[in-house]
């Protein structure tokens, strides 16, 4: 539906977007995720037509729109600061686009009413934007864009200006809304939780390039690069060397700590330097030795942070290596396990857990 | 709102005193004179009378009032036509360009007003720069009359008023969020529609302030007609000056002044009524 071919953007000598290729399907909720300055907003602005393309093409529904002006594109945008027109009422903001199209009044009214109902703004039509809460302004921005029934809706960090509760609520509504209207959404955010919760597919960006583009589950569980593994959630990394690899398992040597085993169906080159990464919640603490299905390293608890539903431990392994371990408080209480700072523990994880990243 | 402190009253005392001595009392004197209450010092007989107002609103002087009004309207329209594009360009230019234009706008204030008037006369005069250049390149064969007529006067007014029109329009456009313009384009409006529906309404409070700053001083101006207007273009400010300085008919000059003040007050009241600058929104709803 939307195709970016070799898309690049430079500001003078600075390359903000470097030859990005991307295809987004019809009806997809797609998310561009990355830290600030990674080029995600630039891509969005190029799709909307606010930034001139330095190289490459943008195709929408098969048609080349690379050089079309923003008002000629079947694309609408929800801006980060909403960019509502302060001198227009909610109603006039919402039907701004339709009025320009000079639709018959009956159709204009019907569509306006429908979209107001869709975003739940009934009763607010006469209000001015300045007299609305952040969440309500966000709905107006959404309604104003959706009323044009574009092929593609672009959302530029629409939730970042809202406080946490409202943002979560709006997130759920946004997801439902997208399913209801069936319009393709391209959502830009630096917030990984939003991206994981909303998107059908995520493209993680860094320095103008897409590092990894896949479903949220794949991104989280099988990150392709060190950056993606580190950016999404939290991750423990071990630099290690492959000592054995076959179709079932790989054995890795962590210098100064010993051998670990990983059930992994990709054969690794023996002697290769790789990065073993494992999520804190996949590791458990124990005073006992591991079973044969598990890996085990010894360490001392250095920090303990109680965070409500979980407790986060920082454990020092040999070689001053610090890793984080996250335990569900409920499970700790259930099994009567209480660990304290200074205690010697084993950190244990299943041989099926963890992922390998090749170090270039 | 911030709490009112005792010290506010103390700090307000000097300016209040200043206003009393140099604004309220003189104004009271002028109004008093205009009703013939000035005694011998005013240059006319004492005793309450409305005759000076009758005279001020009689045919000839009413004509001059109307003419001044016409000049002020014309000067305001011309100033707006020149100022708006500059303010618009400035508001959407880079910070560096903004600084440079701002500097250029303020630069003339560093030079004495009379010198600036004389330089306009030298530039536009019969042997001035403009006529010389045009004759040199053969476009004209005898000098154009560029001063001592209403053209010269309008040039002077536009020149004088330009900064006071540009700056308020600029400041309202400059506050505008560019993403609003992008949103308008995004929703299908072209550049012209975006200007008419979004930019123009947004700049109206600034434009109205600019109109006030231009219209009112122009209405009472007597220096520019004197320098650039020639003999035929007398404005009410000139009449008032001559009544005070040459005819020494202070009561009549005062009556004219009071009428002028009244007209100005009407405009200021309208401004405050519809574009109250103290209201936080600074936005007009149509």
């Amino acid at each position: 539906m939307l195709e970016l071919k070799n898309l690049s953007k430079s500001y003078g000598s600075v390359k903000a977007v470097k030859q990005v290729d991307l295809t987004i399907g019809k009806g997809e909720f797609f998310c561009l995720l990355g830290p600030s300055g990674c080029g995600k907003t630039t891509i969005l602005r190029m799709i909307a037509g606010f930034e001139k393309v330095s190289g490459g093409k943008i195709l929408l529904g098969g048609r080349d729109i690379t050089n079309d002006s923003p008002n000629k594109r079947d694309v609408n945008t929800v801006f980060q600061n909403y960019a509502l027109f302060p001198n227009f009422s909610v109603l006039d903001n919402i039907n701004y686009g339709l009025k320009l199209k000079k639709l018959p009044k009956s159709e204009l009214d019907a569509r306006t009413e429908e979209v107001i109902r869709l975003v739940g703004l009934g009763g607010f039509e006469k209000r001015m934007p300045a007299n609305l809460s952040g969440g309500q302004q966000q709905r107006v921005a959404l309604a104003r864009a959706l009323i044009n029934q574009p092929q593609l809706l672009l959302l530029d960090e629409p939730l970042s200006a809202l406080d946490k509760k409202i943002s979560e609520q709006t997130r759920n509504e946004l997801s439902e809304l997208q399913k209801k209207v069936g319009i393709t959404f391209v959502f830009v955010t630096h917030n990984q939780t939003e991206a994981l919760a909303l998107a059908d597919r995520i493209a993680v960006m860094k320095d103008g390039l897409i590092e990894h583009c896949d479903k949220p589950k794949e991104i989280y569980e099988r990150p392709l690069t060190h950056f993606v593994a580190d950016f999404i959630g939290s991750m423990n990394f071990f630099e290690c060397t492959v000592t054995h690899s076959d179709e079932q398992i790989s054995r890795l040597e962590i210098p100064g700590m010993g051998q670990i085993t990983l059930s992994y169906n990709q054969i690794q080159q023996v002697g290769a330097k790789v990065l073993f990464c494992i999520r804190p919640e996949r590791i458990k603490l124990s005073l006992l030795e591991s079973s044969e299905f598990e890996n085990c390293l010894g360490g001392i608890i250095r920090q303990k942070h109680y965070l409500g539903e979980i407790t986060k431990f920082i454990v020092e392994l040999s070689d001053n290596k610090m890793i984080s371990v996250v335990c569900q408080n409920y499970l700790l209480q259930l099994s009567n396990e209480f660990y304290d700072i200074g205690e010697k523990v084993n950190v244990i994880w299943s041989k099926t857990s963890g992922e390998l990243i090749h170090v270039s | 709102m911030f709490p009112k402190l005792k010290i506010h009253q103390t700090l307000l005392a000097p300016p209040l005193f200043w206003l009393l001595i140099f604004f309220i009392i003189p104004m009271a004197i002028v109004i008093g004179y205009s009703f013939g209450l000035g005694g011998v010092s005013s240059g006319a007989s004492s005793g309450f009378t409305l005759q000076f107002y009758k005279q001020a609103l009689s045919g000839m002087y009413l004509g001059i009032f109307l003419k001044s009004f016409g000049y002020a309207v014309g000067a305001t329209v011309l100033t707006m036509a020149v100022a708006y594009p500059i303010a618009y360009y400035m508001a959407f230019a880079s910070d560096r360009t903004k600084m440079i234009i701002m500097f250029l706008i303020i630069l003339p204030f560093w030079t004495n007003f009379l010198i600036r008037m004389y330089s306009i006369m030298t530039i536009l005069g019969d042997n001035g720069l403009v006529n010389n250049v045009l004759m040199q390149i053969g476009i004209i064969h005898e000098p154009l009359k560029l001063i001592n007529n209403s053209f010269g006067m309008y040039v002077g007014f536009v020149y004088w008023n330009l900064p006071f029109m540009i700056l308020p329009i600029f400041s309202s456009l400059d506050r505008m969020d560019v993403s609003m313009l992008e949103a308008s384009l995004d929703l299908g409006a072209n550049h012209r529609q975006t200007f008419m529906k979004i930019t123009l309404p947004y700049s109206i409070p600034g434009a109205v302030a600019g109109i006030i700053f231009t219209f009112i001083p122009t209405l009472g101006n007597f220096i520019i007609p004197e320098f650039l207007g020639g003999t035929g273009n007398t404005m009410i400010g000139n009449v008032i000056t001559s009544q005070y300085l040459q005819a020494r008919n202070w009561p009549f000059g005062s009556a004219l002044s009071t009428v002028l003040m009244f007209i100005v007050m009407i405009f200021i009241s309208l401004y405050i009524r519809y574009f109250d600058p103290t209201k936080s929104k600074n936005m007009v709803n149509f």
Side-chain angles (χ1 to χ4, degrees), chain A residues 284-303:
Chain A
K284 65 176 182 179
L285 299 179
S286 176
L287 300 173
L288 308 171
E289 284 294 311
S290 61
S291 73
E292 61 173 306
F293 308 110
E294 294 169 325
N295 289 301
C296 177
L297 296 171
I300 299 168
I301 296 175
R302 289 301 182 200
Q303 288 178 37

Side-chain angles (χ1 to χ4, degrees), chain A residues 8-229:
Chain A
S8 7
K9 175 74 191 177
S10 316
Y11 298 100
S13 60
V14 184
K15 292 197 169 83
V17 176
K18 300 168 187 163
Q19 304 192 317
V20 164
D21 281 298
L22 188 64
T23 305
I24 297 172
K26 192 167 167 53
E28 199 172 2
F29 198 133
F30 192 89
C31 187
L32 287 167
L33 175 66
S36 58
C38 72
K40 56 190 194 300
T41 301
T42 310
I43 290 187
L44 194 84
R45 291 176 58 80
M46 284 194 285
I47 300 172
F50 305 139
E51 299 281 350
K52 278 213 156 57
V53 170
S54 304
K57 272 184 185 172
I58 302 168
L59 294 141
L60 181 65
R63 198 169 70 85
D64 187 347
I65 59 163
T66 316
N67 297 314
D68 289 359
S69 64
N71 53 330
K72 298 274 184 278
R73 300 180 186 210
D74 199 4
V75 172
N76 286 119
T77 309
V78 175
F79 291 82
Q80 182 170 14
N81 59 0
Y82 315 136
L84 301 180
F85 306 130
N87 48 336
F88 290 166
S89 67
V90 166
L91 186 73
D92 290 334
N93 262 285
I94 291 177
N95 62 24
Y96 185 83
L98 281 194
K99 274 188 177 165
L100 289 165
K101 284 183 185 154
K102 303 215 160 48
L103 290 179
K105 188 161 170 18
S106 58
E107 196 187 337
L108 186 133
D109 288 346
R111 273 170 73 174
T112 311
E113 201 178 305
E114 187 197 333
V115 79
I116 286 175
R117 192 152 31 84
L118 198 65
V119 299
L121 273 174
F124 290 95
E125 291 90 339
K126 292 273 175 289
R127 293 259 198 116
M128 299 308 281
N131 303 324
L132 295 177
S133 72
Q136 289 161 344
Q137 291 186 23
Q138 212 260 3
R139 284 153 200 265
V140 177
L142 204 56
R144 185 176 72 172
L146 281 175
I147 199 167
N148 298 302
Q149 300 172 347
Q151 286 190 53
L152 184 66
L153 186 73
L154 306 173
L155 302 105
D156 186 9
E157 309 236 6
L159 304 178
S160 64
L162 303 174
D163 56 52
K164 194 162 171 286
K165 279 270 179 211
I166 306 277
S167 153
E168 269 172 34
Q169 186 196 337
T170 315
R171 196 167 79 202
N172 298 337
E173 289 171 2
L174 202 60
S175 172
E176 277 177 35
L177 189 70
Q178 197 264 342
K179 287 190 191 93
K180 227 183 274 177
V181 296
I183 293 171
T184 311
F185 277 30
V186 176
F187 187 99
V188 159
T189 183
H190 64 269
N191 182 327
Q192 38 150 323
T193 319
E194 279 174 27
L196 292 172
L198 284 169
D200 295 323
R201 276 198 307 151
I202 300 174
V204 184
M205 291 192 63
K206 183 200 173 196
D207 298 337
L209 286 169
I210 292 178
E211 291 253 324
H212 190 178
C213 176
D214 213 327
K215 296 190 179 77
K217 186 164 181 265
E218 292 296 315
I219 298 253
Y220 188 77
E221 294 187 2
R222 306 212 170 288
L224 280 181
T225 67
H226 186 174
F227 173 78
V228 174

Side-chain angles (χ1 to χ4, degrees), chain A residues 45 48 50 70-71 75-77 79 81 83-88 96-97 100 128 130-131 144-145 148, chain B residues 177 179-191 193-194 197-198 201-202 281 283-286:
Chain A
R45 291 176 58 80
F50 305 139
N71 53 330
V75 172
N76 286 119
T77 309
F79 291 82
N81 59 0
L84 301 180
F85 306 130
N87 48 336
F88 290 166
Y96 185 83
L100 289 165
M128 299 308 281
N131 303 324
R144 185 176 72 172
N148 298 302
Chain B
D177 185 355
S179 64
M180 252 164 55
L181 304 179
E182 288 177 347
S184 170
L185 290 173
D186 188 71
L187 294 167
N190 58 31
H191 284 280
Q193 287 164 325
T194 301
K197 282 171 176 275
I198 308 296
Y202 207 91
K281 293 290 168 289
M283 253 309 144
V284 201
N285 306 320
F286 296 99

Side-chain angles (χ1 to χ4, degrees), chain B residues 264-282:
Chain B
V264 167
M265 261 157 64
I266 291 175
F267 282 100
I268 303 253
S269 314
L270 285 174
Y271 171 62
I272 292 173
R273 170 77 179 76
Y274 291 104
F275 300 94
D276 186 351
T278 60
K279 272 192 192 147
S280 58
K281 293 290 168 289
N282 206 10

